[in-house]
Amino acid sequence: YTVLGGLRAVLYTDLFQTIVLIAGLVTITFIGLGKLGGWGELTRVAGPDFMSMWKPIAHPDFPWTGILFGAPILGVWYWCTDQYIVQRVLSAKNIDNARGGTIFGGFLKVLPLFIFVIPGVIAYALAKKQMFDMPEATDQVFPAMINQLLGTGVRGLLVAALLSALMSSLSSVFNSCSTVIAWDFYRELRPSASEKQLVRVGQYATIGMVVLGLLWIPFIRGISGQLYTYLQSVQAYISPPIAAVFLLGLLWRRLNASGAIAALGSGFVLGALRLILELNKDSLGGFALKYASMNFLHFAILLFFICSLILVVVSLMTPPQSDEKLAGLTFATANVTGDKVVKLADSTRSRAMEIGFSVLLVAAVVAVWVYFSPIVHK
């Protein structure tokens, strides 16, 4: 349906699949809590270590320093620059809808902690009380909960929810990649290409991405045995240079294309080198082993600072961009288009609501960080 229907088909199926996914996961969370005896019993049985997101600096996967300083770098890359997300914002009817949808997406992003992570803690607590047969493989815990805790009808709903999540992610990635290939590459090579030709190229690109995705599967286990950790680690190798160029480029108009290209190119080389070394970590030693073994979130922080430094130094050593080229690309030139100044049409009431909900979202994230910390769970 992605090949034939394009972005419209992806968006409508994503909408319905999201409803099924959230409903199914909320169901298993509440059923698990009910069988365990409630939230208080969960915190008592699981213990403070399972209820705190703030892990020691030496934690192999998610040290608190990486969560606090490294994870936002991945977030800026994904939520602000990735075609997967940007394409949805651009499909909005107007800027108010785009802002509202973005803020709503932020609230939805808080949910995975409670419908993905907490069910795993529930499974651990149930296993400690001998009310759940914990499988040896960690990636089998959620399917085991579906089998052991749910009846036939609800079990089918959860299976549909898991398949929906998989289909939603894949369809969105395939569609976004095909758009980039058709619009930013093929159209540049063939400016006279018709819309029909661009659509056909996009369809072929989608099929090609499916094949490449299947061919990449054997490499996943070489990086991490856990799919979530694999995804986060690979993102840590590609996101820092993009996040650096995006953030600094918005804030400082003196930066230029030469600095951006240098930072992106250097970051790509360093990130690709880390990925290659990690796949061959067993045969390494010395500095190469340390480079390949550094925590991926700490590596993201280091790579972000290196790319930022390269961006600033190269930009200062080369001529600045002209005001015409900077129009609309930085905060200082946000309302400038060429030689004209434009004002985005938005009502005072809608703007106030957007600001209010944004503040509420930040407060919700801070509240989650505080609650799931050693301060509360000692």
Side-chain angles (χ1 to χ4, degrees), residues 265-283:
S266 303
F268 174 78
V269 171
L270 293 173
L273 179 62
R274 161 67 187 238
L275 180 61
I276 294 171
L277 291 178
E278 188 169 1
L279 290 171
N280 299 277
K281 190 163 51 176
D282 295 338
S283 60

Side-chain angles (χ1 to χ4, degrees), residues 94-100 102-103 331 334-335 343-360:
N94 52 53
I95 195 166
D96 286 336
N97 284 353
R99 287 172 177 161
T102 302
I103 297 169
F331 280 121
N335 295 330
K343 177 64 177 175
L344 296 174
D346 52 0
S347 65
T348 304
R349 181 181 177 185
S350 65
R351 193 69 176 133
M353 290 181 61
E354 290 159 1
I355 294 174
F357 279 115
S358 297
V359 172
L360 183 62

Side-chain angles (χ1 to χ4, degrees), residues 241-242 244-245 258-268 306-308 310-312 314:
I242 302 174
V245 170
S258 299
I261 294 298
L264 292 173
S266 303
F268 174 78
I306 291 175
C307 292
S308 298
I310 293 173
L311 172 62
V312 171
V314 174

Side-chain angles (χ1 to χ4, degrees), residues 82-322:
D82 193 89
Q83 176 72 6
Y84 183 112
I85 300 298
V86 173
Q87 191 169 353
R88 280 151 177 70
V89 179
L90 294 176
S91 69
K93 292 182 179 180
N94 52 53
I95 195 166
D96 286 336
N97 284 353
R99 287 172 177 161
T102 302
I103 297 169
F104 181 63
F107 282 103
L108 288 180
K109 188 58 182 174
V110 180
L111 284 179
L113 174 63
F114 299 98
I115 62 178
F116 288 138
V117 180
I118 293 300
V121 181
I122 292 173
Y124 171 77
L126 288 172
K128 285 188 68 174
K129 296 182 69 171
Q130 298 183 340
M131 301 169 65
F132 176 72
D133 295 328
M134 180 75 78
E136 294 184 6
T138 56
D139 57 0
Q140 294 299 315
V141 172
F142 201 81
M145 291 183 71
I146 294 177
N147 282 327
Q148 297 180 38
L149 301 184
L150 305 180
T152 303
V154 183
R155 188 183 304 162
L157 176 65
L158 260 294
V159 172
L162 293 176
L163 292 176
S164 295
L166 177 65
M167 292 171 61
S168 173
S169 298
L170 292 177
S171 65
S172 299
V173 169
F174 293 150
N175 180 259
S176 299
C177 290
S178 67
T179 301
V180 170
I181 292 171
W183 193 257
D184 293 330
F185 289 94
Y186 184 79
R187 191 174 68 97
E188 291 296 320
L189 297 174
R190 299 283 300 275
S192 60
S194 65
E195 184 174 343
K196 185 176 181 180
Q197 288 176 311
L198 293 174
V199 171
R200 185 62 54 85
V201 169
Q203 292 174 332
Y204 291 150
T206 301
I207 297 173
M209 292 305 300
V210 173
V211 175
L212 290 175
L214 292 172
L215 293 175
W216 184 253
I217 290 175
F219 295 96
I220 294 177
R221 192 165 293 276
I223 299 175
S224 174
Q226 297 182 359
L227 183 60
Y228 180 79
T229 304
Y230 157 77
L231 291 173
Q232 297 298 308
S233 61
V234 171
Q235 289 175 2
Y237 309 153
I238 63 176
S239 60
I242 302 174
V245 170
F246 176 76
L247 277 179
L248 273 67
L250 280 177
L251 299 174
W252 191 17
R253 61 187 298 171
R254 176 60 180 83
L255 302 179
N256 58 27
S258 299
I261 294 298
L264 292 173
S266 303
F268 174 78
V269 171
L270 293 173
L273 179 62
R274 161 67 187 238
L275 180 61
I276 294 171
L277 291 178
E278 188 169 1
L279 290 171
N280 299 277
K281 190 163 51 176
D282 295 338
S283 60
L284 300 177
F287 176 78
L289 179 60
K290 291 182 179 180
Y291 188 79
S293 302
M294 182 189 301
N295 176 269
F296 66 91
L297 290 173
H298 288 164
F299 178 82
I301 299 171
L302 176 63
L303 187 57
F304 179 84
F305 278 108
I306 291 175
C307 292
S308 298
L309 181 62
I310 293 173
L311 172 62
V312 171
V313 171
V314 174
S315 294
L316 292 177
M317 294 174 61
T318 52
Q321 299 285 167
S322 64

